[in-house]
């Protein structure tokens, strides 16, 4: 293409993009009615989930009665202890709501996004409002008075039904266990390089295969037509775009696909309109991304909550670089690659794309891996089986052995290779194999000589938790405060060492004002950590759900009084096993599904049988996979078809 022609396209796009959002201009002096056309207002309403079944007469009646209001970031929409006289239907942006009791004590906080209704329950009450609502970012809404609302519900049955459904949804959110997560309708995708452009087409096609009808508005002059994917180049006058938006109003998913080199004004309008942003970054783009995002987040700090960094990695760069500023500027990140994995690498990066699809469809699956010393090697078989059945977890949490296996997996190692690593690297030397209870003495030796760190760094190096291919949380216990410590940032190897630091085999790890030991002391299976991090479906893998009723073979011998060597270390490890068994219920209670491989026939020091335990973990998972898929299908029947 002639460079001059390309420049013309870019200039036209900038003018068109800026004009398309001129109607939503924020007045920094306070709220003011905007003046969009009635047609535009109806188009925006039609895109909202609650309004999709309203007929044209109802939409016209709403737009004739409603005011279109614009709020700037930080503006108060409803003041606590004020009289609520309007109900607001959020069109774009997000708002933070805080609910207080009559004494002024904070009871609940929530974030409202596109499609939410605000003030519906409080409208018309004689009591003063105990609700405080503030705009997180530039936002637009339509508002109705009590009189307008009553007239519309009395005259239009479809609007009345929509209001009942909205009220029921609010009730469900606050009173019942709510599993649904946001499903962003307008998704922005930003590119620093043409190399990441194919990601958008692939994403749209995957969503289409799941029964959606996505449409794409973008500035890619080289877009290749796809008859099943509506695409429109963002150039032209306002009327052309309004016709296009009206034509696509029935599409529940709109993808805005743009380069990162647009003006600051254009990018701010873009951020105001979309629900979330997938900011595509290659390692070489990181610094440029930091510069642009700092400008945007400085303008509106709450935009950080919308930002998702998508790391596009390749075969030669299987782990994202550590760019602390970038992690601070975005709510979360995804790592993915479209290259084949290297030798001994798992397929976590290749499944990263599917995790983005999970995110857009409101699915977040967590896997909690429990402690259990060598028996924790069964977790590697559980991880392998879930992958083979297409159940890709979105984040992991682990305690002790679960922290070790989970972090190794999240760092990108193939589960089968990791199994062999543990089997080989934790093989006791000849001398220890000659001693009674030699496996225990070998573990004591490894702890006291700090050899676990050397072993782990061979495979993880100096990687930080933020760089792992999958979000990972490890659990340790602080002896000073007597409380769990959950790690999600910092040196990944140190996070493992803290979590597996089993007293009295090892001394506490002193870090700042903490003394850290094995997390199994308080939380052996941290499913609750994953719930707190936003997972709406949690699987737990427990290797301590069953406890063998024998100790050192005493019950299996005819003469229980026979001379038998008891070592202090064996008694300590038995106590630890019993503690893990009895602590199972603490963190695992919120789990929706539990896989419990029976590894009671293995000694808790037998790392040399890691491969056998991994097979048992895989077999146990395979045996329950049909039940698991059936449960997941209730969360998303298209993603997880029940067999």
């Amino acid at each position: 293409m002639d460079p001059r022609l390309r420049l013309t396209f870019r200039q036209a796009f900038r003018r068109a993009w800026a004009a398309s959002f001129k109607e939503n201009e924020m007045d920094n002096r306070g709220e003011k009615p905007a003046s969009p056309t009635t047609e535009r207002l109806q188009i925006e309403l039609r895109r909202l989930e609650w309004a999709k079944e309203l007929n044209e007469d109802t939409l016209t009646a709403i737009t004739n009665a409603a005011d279109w209001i614009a709020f700037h970031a930080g503006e108060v929409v409803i003041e606590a202890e004020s009289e609520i006289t309007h109900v607001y239907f959020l069109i774009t942006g997000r708002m933070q709501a805080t609910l207080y009791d009559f004494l002024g004590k904070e009871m609940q906080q929530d974030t409202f996004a596109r499609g939410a209704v605000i003030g519906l329950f409080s409208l018309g009450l004689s009591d003063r409002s105990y609700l405080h609502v503030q705009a997180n970012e530039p936002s637009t809404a339509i508002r109705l008075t009590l009189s307008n609302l009553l007239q519309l519900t009395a005259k239009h049955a479809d609007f009345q039904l929509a209001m009942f459904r909205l009220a029921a949804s609010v009730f469900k959110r606050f009173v019942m266990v709510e599993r649904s997560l946001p499903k962003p309708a307008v998704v922005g995708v930003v590119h620093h390089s043409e190399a990441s452009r194919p990601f958008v087409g692939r994403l749209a096609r995957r969503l289409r295969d799941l029964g959606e009808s996505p449409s794409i508005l973008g500035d890619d002059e080289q877009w290749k037509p796809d008859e099943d994917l509506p695409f429109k180049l963002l150039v032209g006058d306002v009327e052309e775009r309004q016709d296009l938006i009206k034509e696509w109003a029935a599409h529940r998913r709109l993808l805005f696909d743009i380069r990162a080199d647009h003006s600051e004004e254009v990018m701010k309008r873009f951020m105001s309109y979309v629900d979330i942003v997938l900011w595509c970054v290659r390692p070489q783009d990181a610094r440029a991304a930091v510069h642009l995002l700092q400008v945007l987040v400085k303008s509106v700090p709450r935009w950080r909550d919308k930002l998702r960094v998508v790391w596009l990695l390749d075969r030669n760069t299987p782990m994202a670089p550590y760019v602390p500023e970038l992690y601070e500027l975005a709510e979360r990140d995804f790592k993915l690659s479209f290259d084949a994995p290297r030798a001994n690498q798992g397929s976590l990066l290749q499944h990263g794309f599917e995790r983005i699809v999970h995110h857009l469809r409101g699915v977040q699956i967590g896997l909690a891996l429990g402690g259990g010393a060598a028996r924790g090697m069964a977790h590697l078989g559980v991880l392998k089986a879930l992958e083979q059945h297409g159940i890709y977890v979105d984040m992991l949490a682990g305690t002790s052995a679960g922290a070790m296996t989970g972090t190794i997996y999240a760092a990108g190692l193939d589960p089968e290779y990791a199994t062999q690593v543990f089997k080989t690297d934790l093989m006791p030397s000849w001398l220890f194999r000659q001693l009674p209870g030699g496996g225990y003495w070998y573990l004591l030796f490894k702890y006291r000589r700090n050899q676990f760190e050397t072993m782990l760094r061979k495979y993880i190096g100096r990687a930080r938790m933020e760089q792992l291919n999958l979000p990972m949380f490890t659990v340790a216990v602080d002896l000073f405060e007597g409380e769990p410590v959950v790690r999600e940032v910092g040196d990944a190897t140190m996070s493992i060492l803290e979590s597996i630091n089993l007293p009295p085999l090892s001394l506490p790890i002193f870090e700042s004002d903490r003394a850290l030991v094995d997390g199994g002391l308080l939380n052996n299976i941290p499913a609750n950590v994953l719930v707190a991090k936003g997972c709406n479906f949690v699987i737990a893998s427990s290797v301590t759900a069953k406890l063998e009723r024998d100790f050192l073979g005493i019950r299996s011998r005819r003469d229980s009084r026979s001379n038998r060597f008891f070592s202090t270390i064996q008694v300590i490890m038995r106590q630890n096993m019993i503690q893990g068994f009895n602590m199972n219920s603490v963190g695992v209670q919120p789990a929706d599904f539990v896989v419990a491989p029976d590894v009671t026939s293995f000694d808790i020091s037998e790392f040399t049988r890691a491969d056998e335990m991994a097979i048992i973990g895989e077999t146990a998972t395979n045996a329950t996979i049909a039940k698991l898929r059936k449960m997941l299908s209730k969360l998303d029947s298209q993603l997880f078809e029940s067999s």
Side-chain angles (χ1 to χ4, degrees), residues 69-293:
I69 304 296
F71 300 92
H72 60 75
E75 185 175 352
V76 174
V77 180
I78 297 176
E79 182 78 50
E81 299 190 16
S82 67
E83 182 182 358
I84 295 182
T85 58
H86 295 84
V87 60
Y88 296 84
F89 299 91
L90 197 53
I91 301 295
T92 64
R94 291 171 306 141
M95 295 181 178
Q96 186 76 25
T98 306
L99 183 66
Y100 299 91
D101 67 12
F102 73 99
L103 295 175
K105 180 181 177 182
E106 182 179 311
M107 302 296 293
Q108 179 84 27
Q109 271 201 1
D110 206 357
T111 300
F112 294 122
R114 182 192 305 267
V117 58
I118 303 167
L120 183 62
F121 280 155
S122 302
L123 188 64
L125 294 179
S126 57
D127 291 341
R128 292 290 178 179
S129 162
Y130 297 109
L131 183 67
H132 183 86
V133 182
Q134 184 171 328
N136 283 350
E137 60 185 82
S139 304
T140 58
I142 62 169
R143 69 178 185 184
L144 293 170
T145 63
L146 174 60
S147 175
N148 294 147
L149 186 68
L150 292 176
Q151 289 176 14
L152 288 168
T153 53
K155 186 174 180 180
H156 301 277
D158 53 348
F159 183 68
Q160 185 181 88
L161 180 59
M163 292 303 98
F164 276 130
R165 286 174 174 168
L166 276 173
S169 177
V170 173
F171 178 82
K172 179 181 177 183
R173 187 178 183 88
F174 287 101
V175 178
M176 302 173 64
V177 176
E178 180 56 71
R179 289 186 179 271
S180 62
L181 294 175
K183 301 177 180 64
V186 182
V187 179
V189 186
V190 177
H191 308 275
H192 285 269
S193 163
E194 295 301 308
S196 60
R197 286 290 198 180
F199 167 76
V200 178
R202 182 168 180 165
L203 181 61
R205 285 187 286 274
R206 177 64 176 130
L207 294 173
R208 179 194 60 194
D209 293 343
L210 291 169
E212 296 191 22
S213 55
S215 55
I216 304 169
L217 293 169
D219 62 359
D220 184 3
E221 300 95 349
Q222 305 301 320
W223 180 269
K224 295 180 180 179
D226 185 327
E227 60 182 16
D228 295 326
L229 289 178
F231 174 85
K232 183 69 175 179
L233 196 64
L234 277 167
V235 294
D237 58 29
V238 177
E239 292 305 317
E240 179 184 350
R241 282 193 314 281
Q242 292 223 5
D243 289 345
L244 177 64
I245 294 173
K246 182 178 181 180
E247 177 187 340
W248 284 355
H251 293 264
R252 310 316 300 173
R253 189 87 70 173
L254 184 60
L255 304 179
F256 277 93
D257 178 41
I258 69 169
R259 295 183 304 274
D261 63 354
H262 294 291
S263 69
E264 182 180 335
E265 179 186 3
V266 167
M267 295 306 292
K268 286 180 179 179
R269 294 184 185 282
F270 166 78
M271 290 293 296
S272 294
Y273 190 71
V274 298
D275 297 329
I276 69 166
V277 180
L278 302 176
W279 201 285
C280 298
V281 178
R282 300 172 302 162
Q284 58 266 44
D285 302 325
R287 287 299 161 190
V290 167
H291 175 73
L292 288 173
L293 291 174

Side-chain angles (χ1 to χ4, degrees), residues 359-417:
H359 190 64
L360 297 185
R361 291 179 67 86
V363 172
Q364 189 151 279
I365 303 171
L367 175 61
L369 305 172
R375 293 175 178 178
M377 299 298 100
H379 296 319
L380 294 168
V382 173
L383 288 162
K384 176 185 174 182
L386 290 174
E387 271 195 10
Q388 289 177 332
H389 289 282
I391 298 173
Y392 308 125
V393 298
D394 299 294
M395 58 180 63
L396 295 166
T399 296
S400 195
M404 185 163 65
T405 53
T407 304
I408 284 283
Y409 174 77
L413 270 69
D414 177 72
E416 286 191 1
Y417 174 66

